[in-house]
Amino acid sequence: VAEDFHARFDASMRHYVYRVQTSAFQPVFEVNRSWHVPEALDLDPMRAAGAVLAGEHDFTSFRGSGCQAHSPVRTIERLSIQAGPEGDGATRDPLHADASFFYIRVSSRSFLYNQVRRMVGVIVDAGSGKMSPGDVREILDGKDNGLVPNMAPPHGLYLERVDY
């Protein structure tokens, strides 16, 4: 490793995954490991909301109040949403047979403070029918961080990989 290597500033791409779990009751082994949403989510509106956020945008509406970045412009290189019945290959819990998982993966060179959690919040709101992909576009274009109605909790967010 080079003497001047810096793990944060030398990164060329960061990859995050956010785990959302839906069921009437949260499985005990998922507490503080995924965001428990007790209602069913519709994958198609979630993907449509994600498509609005992909690419280069001014993410002022998605930056946390403590953000110190000079520019709110970021490029989301990849945003994908997959659904699956089980959590990361875990054995199916017969007591929570209705549980399903959504994996929201986001990749970018850099992110604003709380950006991923705010993006996941609106994607989940789109999946629950609380907002449309058009509402997500209005939030993005509004450039006001008070417009995001729902920020996802920190548990469920994982740094999956860093490229150098």
Side-chain angles (χ1 to χ4, degrees):
V1 176
E3 187 91 16
D4 62 343
F5 173 78
H6 194 286
R8 178 178 170 201
F9 298 120
D10 290 345
S12 62
M13 189 73 62
R14 293 160 178 85
H15 307 272
Y16 284 91
V17 61
Y18 196 98
R19 298 175 69 236
V20 178
Q21 182 266 320
T22 63
S23 66
F25 300 99
Q26 186 173 31
V28 69
F29 294 114
E30 287 299 322
V31 172
N32 293 328
R33 293 194 171 133
S34 62
W35 180 15
H36 175 243
V37 177
E39 61 214 43
L41 298 175
D42 188 345
L43 186 59
D44 290 335
M46 292 173 73
R47 285 182 171 158
V52 170
L53 298 170
E56 182 177 305
H57 303 285
D58 179 331
F59 281 99
T60 296
S61 296
F62 292 89
R63 77 191 298 179
S65 58
C67 185
Q68 298 177 0
H70 297 296
S71 171
V73 176
R74 295 291 184 268
T75 302
I76 302 301
E77 299 291 343
R78 178 178 156 236
L79 197 155
S80 67
I81 305 166
Q82 290 93 27
E86 300 175 359
D88 291 340
T91 304
R92 191 87 167 136
D93 181 354
L95 297 175
H96 300 93
D98 65 330
S100 60
F101 288 82
F102 292 86
Y103 302 92
I104 302 168
R105 287 185 165 81
V106 186
S107 300
S108 180
R109 184 180 180 282
S110 62
F111 293 95
L112 301 169
Y113 181 65
N114 286 338
Q115 179 182 350
V116 174
R117 289 175 51 204
R118 288 171 173 262
M119 289 169 50
V120 169
V122 300
I123 289 169
V124 167
D125 280 351
S128 66
K130 293 177 185 164
M131 68 172 49
S132 70
D135 295 332
V136 176
R137 169 61 64 194
E138 287 179 18
I139 290 171
L140 186 63
D141 292 342
K143 296 179 179 66
D144 177 359
N145 69 354
L147 296 175
V148 174
N150 188 20
M151 181 168 66
H155 50 273
L157 179 63
Y158 296 89
L159 178 62
E160 196 168 42
R161 190 177 86 230
V162 179
D163 298 338
Y164 293 96

